Amino acid sequence: ATAADRAAGAVITLRQMKDATNIYGQEGYRLTVTPEGVTIDAATATGFFYAFASINKMLPACVAAGVRDAGVTRFELPCLTVTDGPRFPYRGFMLDVARHFFTVDEIKRMLDLMAVYKLNKFHFHLTEDQGWRWEVKKYPRLTSVGSVASNTYVTSMQHGAYWTNRPYGPYFSARAELKDIVAYAAERHIEVIPEIDMPGHFSAAMAAYPQFSCNPSGPHRVETWGGVFTDVLNVADPKAVRFVKDILDELMDIFPSKNIHIGGDECPTTAWENNKQCQEMYKRLNLTSYRQLQTHFIDEISTYLRSKGRKISVWNETVTEKGADLQLMKKTGATVYCWVPARRGAEIANELGLPSIYTVYGPYYINRAPSKEGWMATLPGNGSDHLKATYENQPTDFKHSIGVQGTFWTEHVATADVMEHLALPRLIAI
Ligand code: ACM
């Protein structure tokens, strides 16, 4: 700060450094605290935002909490210099709002927390076998039918795990609510990456619009329990592919993110193998595996999204499943989310020149049991996915790994208290 700044009472001086990109990175900053005041050097608004996040952490906890504490009367910063910048451009948290639904306010609490820890990507898992959780104007049955299950499973810290034996839903977010989440995240320098999981994990959509499945006469249902189901999209039916593109049009209208996650995990090929249109497509394209129908579908959706200025993200099965067409996957430029086998997925992504995100099954699956004590006994996992395991598992050697993500699935978790209890502190470690 100049003498004139000081004379004007400035205690915090922000200096935008045009050349700072080389020193601290696009999101980095240098924070200097002296008895005369605070100076922050950064290249971008995000860098300044993170400097203030660090200042927040140095002040008494009531400041970050946004509450008054009558016992706290002094607000002092230590004199120091912090030079900080992220190791990875992608620092994510995924929340599955499909197995169980979470409200706008519950999501905003997590976005606040992400901002404190300088996490910058919220991967919003919106659809599943167990529920379709966002409003699509053109296809109202996705929510009127697809967001209601006949029963649901709850884990309670007080009462343990139980089935409610009551219908669950309709629960979904309206367009305006989703836009509110996007805006709230943007104020915290967080990009919201929506995911429509397809062509598998699509039972809720198929229950709503069975004409786009491989077996229109059914049976179809919104599932109540987790797993892998065979009621997948008929990728060989042009009308079914149109259905998906229409859905993606509405998704892009709500979510400005350049990245659109289209799932691709855990998709059995059995329904395709037994469907006439799929058999014909298999022959017409001279395929050697029904898995390649999935690759062709991904390529078509990728081309469509690219024509709208977007790019796709996918789970690692799209490159690790036997029979997948890797050269076609390479062409899509997809970002590969690596969960199992995470390292193999990242290695293949590397070989194909595709960026990858490391979210390893186990220590980065932060819904899993960190211990088996008390009410946590019924959670998935044997208790080995604890904080130390999260810290010790890092993506060290992947040239194209652009970052890490804590992934939270909600088959067992119906409420925000349990979600927060399990996600933390492992998300902080990530
Ligand atoms: C996944 O856990 N099915 C991505």
Side-chain angles (χ1 to χ4, degrees):
T2 63
D5 292 331
R6 296 287 180 232
V11 288
I12 300 182
T13 305
L14 310 188
R15 297 190 301 199
Q16 187 169 20
M17 311 293 279
K18 291 289 176 223
D19 60 352
T21 48
N22 299 326
I23 307 167
Y24 317 121
Q26 278 297 316
E27 301 173 279
Y29 62 89
R30 183 171 60 193
L31 169 66
T32 310
V33 182
T34 69
E36 283 72 49
V38 175
T39 304
I40 303 169
D41 297 316
T44 66
T46 305
F48 290 116
F49 182 75
Y50 287 156
F52 280 106
S54 293
I55 289 173
N56 245 329
K57 280 193 229 170
M58 293 174 206
L59 289 168
C62 60
V63 174
V67 295
R68 255 182 203 291
D69 179 342
V72 177
T73 53
R74 291 174 68 85
F75 297 88
E76 290 180 327
L77 289 174
C79 289
L80 49 68
T81 300
V82 173
T83 305
D84 188 20
R87 177 169 155 207
F88 291 115
Y90 186 111
R91 305 174 300 279
F93 170 57
M94 190 208 85
L95 182 62
D96 166 12
V97 300
R99 269 59 176 267
H100 285 101
F101 180 68
F102 291 84
T103 65
V104 172
D105 285 344
E106 288 164 348
I107 289 168
K108 284 181 175 176
R109 261 175 76 91
M110 292 308 289
L111 293 169
D112 283 340
L113 193 104
M114 287 175 68
V116 169
Y117 293 101
K118 307 185 180 91
L119 297 166
N120 66 346
K121 309 287 177 184
F122 177 53
H123 173 180
F124 201 178
H125 187 83
L126 286 163
T127 66
E128 264 299 341
D129 300 298
Q130 295 79 5
W132 187 280
R133 302 287 176 219
W134 64 286
E135 176 192 16
V136 180
K137 280 198 288 204
K138 187 160 184 189
Y139 298 106
R141 284 173 60 84
L142 285 172
T143 43
S144 66
V145 173
S147 83
V148 188
S150 61
N151 199 351
T152 202
Y153 182 85
V154 172
T155 302
S156 156
M157 292 197 235
Q158 290 77 35
H159 309 296
Y162 60 94
W163 289 92
T164 63
N165 294 326
R166 278 203 296 265
Y168 185 75
Y171 292 128
F172 61 93
S173 297
R175 294 164 60 88
E177 292 177 308
L178 296 169
K179 286 185 180 177
D180 183 25
I181 288 171
V182 168
Y184 193 87
E187 283 171 16
R188 286 152 187 76
H189 297 258
I190 296 168
E191 174 186 351
V192 182
I193 300 168
E195 178 183 356
I196 308 303
D197 201 346
M198 54 191 184
H201 284 299
F202 217 52
S203 301
M206 298 296 81
Y209 291 92
Q211 62 268 43
F212 303 128
S213 74
C214 291
N215 186 18
S217 59
H220 302 277
R221 62 181 233 131
V222 179
E223 298 295 340
T224 51
W225 188 236
V228 176
F229 301 93
T230 55
D231 197 6
V232 306
L233 185 78
N234 182 354
V235 293
D237 177 1
K239 292 201 195 76
V241 175
R242 185 69 254 168
F243 168 65
V244 160
K245 289 179 181 173
D246 289 344
I247 289 170
L248 289 169
D249 283 344
E250 291 201 25
L251 190 79
M252 287 186 278
D253 207 34
I254 297 167
F255 294 96
S257 170
K258 199 170 160 53
N259 300 293
I260 305 287
H261 202 303
I262 60 165
D265 57 323
E266 298 181 320
C267 181
T269 57
T270 39
W272 299 336
E273 288 163 35
N274 294 299
N275 175 273
K276 202 157 174 300
Q277 273 175 304
C278 293
Q279 291 165 354
E280 282 166 11
M281 184 170 174
Y282 180 94
K283 283 205 199 95
R284 180 162 38 85
L285 295 177
N286 266 325
L287 303 184
T288 52
S289 160
Y290 272 90
R291 181 62 54 204
Q292 289 153 11
L293 283 185
Q294 180 177 358
T295 320
H296 279 270
F297 170 72
I298 292 170
D299 178 47
E300 172 152 7
I301 298 302
S302 165
T303 303
Y304 184 71
L305 292 181
R306 201 170 328 113
S307 78
K308 312 275 178 187
R310 311 292 180 106
K311 79 192 268 293
I312 61 162
S313 300
V314 291
W315 293 105
N316 71 246
E317 284 91 326
T318 56
V319 296
T320 52
E321 277 289 313
K322 194 161 168 288
D325 185 334
L326 296 186
Q327 289 317 305
L328 207 48
M329 281 306 300
K330 180 184 170 87
K331 181 185 146 226
T332 68
T335 298
V336 183
Y337 283 58
C338 299
W339 70 286
V340 73
R343 285 183 183 268
R344 184 73 197 120
E347 280 162 15
I348 296 174
N350 262 358
E351 284 159 20
L352 299 175
L354 299 174
S356 67
I357 311 290
Y358 189 71
T359 181
V360 61
Y361 175 75
Y364 285 31
Y365 268 37
I366 57 178
N367 58 288
R368 290 171 63 79
S371 92
K372 294 302 265 187
E373 276 169 36
W375 64 273
M376 290 186 281
T378 55
L379 296 175
N382 62 10
S384 64
D385 299 317
H386 43 59
L387 182 63
K388 190 161 182 283
T390 307
Y391 270 116
E392 286 177 349
N393 203 312
Q394 297 196 29
T396 47
D397 49 2
F398 303 125
K399 199 165 75 233
H400 295 281
S401 182
I402 59 170
V404 291
Q405 173 169 292
T407 293
F408 199 102
W409 301 104
T410 59
E411 289 95 330
H412 292 246
V413 179
T415 54
D417 59 341
V418 174
M419 185 264 286
E420 291 180 12
H421 187 101
L422 290 172
L424 302 172
R426 286 176 289 183
L427 184 58
I428 300 171
I430 286 166

